Amino acid sequence: INAEYMGLERWVFNIEMEGEGQGNAGGKSEKEIQSEIQAIIRQITASVTFLPLLGEACTFDLLVYTNKDCEVPKAWEESDAKFIQNSSEVRLRSFTTKIHKVDAMVSYKCEE
C-alpha cells in the first residue's frame, strides 16, 4: 500500500467475460439487461445514506485491470490497487448478461 495514498472511497466494478462472449446475451432481452443496470445505478445513488459525507474537495483515480496481452494506451501507467486502510466494504448487486458478469462493491474509510 502506498503510504501517501489517502483514499476515502474505492468503487470496484468487476466485469468478466463468460463463455466465448459471442452471440446474444443468453436469451436476456435488452430491456432485462437495462433493468439490471438501472438497479445497480439506484443502489449507487442510495449509497449516500451510508457513505460518510466528504467534507473536502476530492479527486478520483480510475484504475483499469486488463489481461497481460491486452494493448493499453501509452499514457497509462502501472499502479498498486489503492486499497483503503481501516475501511468498511459493501457489496452491491451483481448481474450477468450471459456474455459478461458484473460484480460491484464500494469500500470507504471508517470514521476514526
Side-chain angles (χ1 to χ4, degrees):
I1 297 177
N2 181 346
E4 296 177 25
Y5 182 70
M6 297 296 295
L8 300 174
E9 294 178 1
R10 182 176 188 262
W11 291 83
V12 176
F13 298 93
N14 188 27
I15 303 169
E16 294 185 21
M17 294 287 291
E18 292 189 326
E20 295 297 313
Q22 302 295 323
N24 72 359
K28 283 191 176 183
S29 70
E30 184 176 336
K31 184 176 181 178
E32 288 174 301
I33 293 168
Q34 287 177 345
S35 176
E36 291 174 328
I37 293 169
Q38 290 169 348
I40 289 177
I41 292 171
R42 281 192 300 276
Q43 226 180 354
I44 291 168
T45 303
S47 69
V48 299
T49 61
F50 62 83
L51 290 175
L53 183 62
L54 301 177
E56 57 194 80
C58 297
T59 62
F60 69 92
D61 296 315
L62 180 63
L63 305 179
V64 177
Y65 298 90
T66 65
N67 294 333
K68 290 192 181 287
D69 61 348
C70 184
E71 284 190 42
V72 298
K74 292 181 186 205
W76 287 13
E77 57 188 50
E78 290 200 26
S79 170
D80 60 12
K82 305 294 186 198
F83 292 112
I84 299 174
Q85 294 181 357
N86 302 322
S87 66
S88 290
E89 184 176 299
V90 177
R91 295 223 171 263
L92 304 175
R93 192 180 307 242
S94 57
F95 74 96
T96 180
T97 66
K98 303 295 184 195
I99 297 173
H100 297 96
K101 181 175 188 259
V102 180
D103 292 312
M105 179 275 290
V106 60
S107 58
Y108 56 94
K109 187 163 187 69
C110 294
E111 299 286 325
E112 293 181 8

